[in-house]
Amino acid sequence: MKRELQRRGDETTRVGPNTGGDKEMMKELHRRRVLELLDAFYAGDIERALALCSDDVDFFSNAPVDILPHLGHHHGKDDVRQMWKTVHSRYSSMRYELPFIAVEDDKVAVQLRAFFGKRRNGRIVQFDIAIFFTLRDGKIVRIREIIDTFDLIEQVVEQDVAELIAGKAGERK
């Protein structure tokens, strides 16, 4: 049985049957798939992003859909495509910074700082987002997003939501 050494920076890993190399290769594949999806989505190439997803991809973002109706739950490529098109129609520019990524088996977690330029007035909406991906057979099958929606809504509607709530609460007295 032939075993090879694979060198990555200062780290040497055994690659081959029963050495754990296959697991490391899958983790790297999953990491690359997620980064490819993020790059494609933020560049506006929705079809390239969807090509990295399974036909039955399941997307969920915890957001009040009364205010952000394009978020929430979406299932299947067509549904996700429409949601992503809606997002891109509302913003003229999009970019992200990636301070953290972790991969464990078929799961990838990222922390992003997103910057969206509002099409209506050019203002930049910036927010932190945690995204959890699940992959199967090299395709993304599940996307779960966690966003500080309170902060995001304040930026989108351009009002201090806490002040609005406090004002309405004060009116009830």
Side-chain angles (χ1 to χ4, degrees):
M1 182 180 335
K2 184 178 176 184
R3 295 193 183 182
E4 300 174 17
L5 294 178
Q6 180 177 342
R7 197 141 183 73
R8 283 191 209 152
D10 296 333
E11 179 182 319
T12 302
T13 306
R14 293 201 176 278
V15 178
N18 302 318
T19 62
D22 290 341
K23 184 176 180 179
E24 289 303 312
M25 288 180 1
M26 284 306 292
K27 283 173 64 171
E28 183 59 26
L29 172 69
H30 292 158
R31 180 182 180 282
R32 281 196 323 263
R33 286 285 187 269
V34 166
L35 292 175
E36 288 174 43
L37 179 130
L38 292 170
D39 287 343
F41 173 77
Y42 279 86
D45 192 345
I46 293 170
E47 292 308 316
R48 185 168 60 114
L50 284 169
L52 300 165
C53 297
S54 67
D55 290 339
D56 64 342
V57 62
D58 194 61
F59 174 94
F60 180 77
S61 182
N62 70 320
V65 293
D66 292 343
I67 300 169
L68 301 168
H70 54 284
L71 295 180
H73 184 247
H74 299 275
H75 186 78
K77 280 187 177 180
D78 289 337
D79 196 13
V80 171
R81 176 185 291 110
Q82 283 310 117
M83 181 264 301
W84 283 349
K85 283 182 177 182
T86 299
V87 171
H88 279 277
S89 74
R90 294 179 179 197
Y91 300 96
S92 58
S93 64
M94 299 170 77
R95 70 178 178 86
Y96 72 94
E97 296 171 354
L98 180 72
F100 178 81
I101 184 168
V103 182
E104 184 65 37
D105 298 325
D106 63 348
K107 308 271 193 284
V108 179
V110 299
Q111 174 196 348
L112 296 181
R113 181 75 174 162
F115 303 86
F116 289 14
K118 292 172 79 172
R119 198 170 295 283
R120 180 171 53 95
N121 60 12
R123 292 185 79 165
I124 301 297
V125 174
Q126 55 185 314
F127 56 98
D128 293 314
I129 181 171
I131 312 173
F132 303 92
F133 299 88
T134 303
L135 292 93
R136 180 182 64 232
D137 301 325
K139 297 279 189 175
I140 295 165
V141 296
R142 180 183 294 156
I143 305 168
R144 295 289 181 265
E145 295 182 345
I146 299 174
I147 305 169
D148 177 355
T149 54
F150 191 86
D151 177 51
L152 178 59
I153 289 168
E154 285 189 324
Q155 293 181 65
V156 169
V157 301
E158 299 176 16
Q159 289 190 316
D160 184 338
V161 175
E163 190 176 282
L164 289 172
I165 292 169
K168 288 188 179 184
E171 291 172 7
R172 291 186 196 140
K173 291 182 179 182

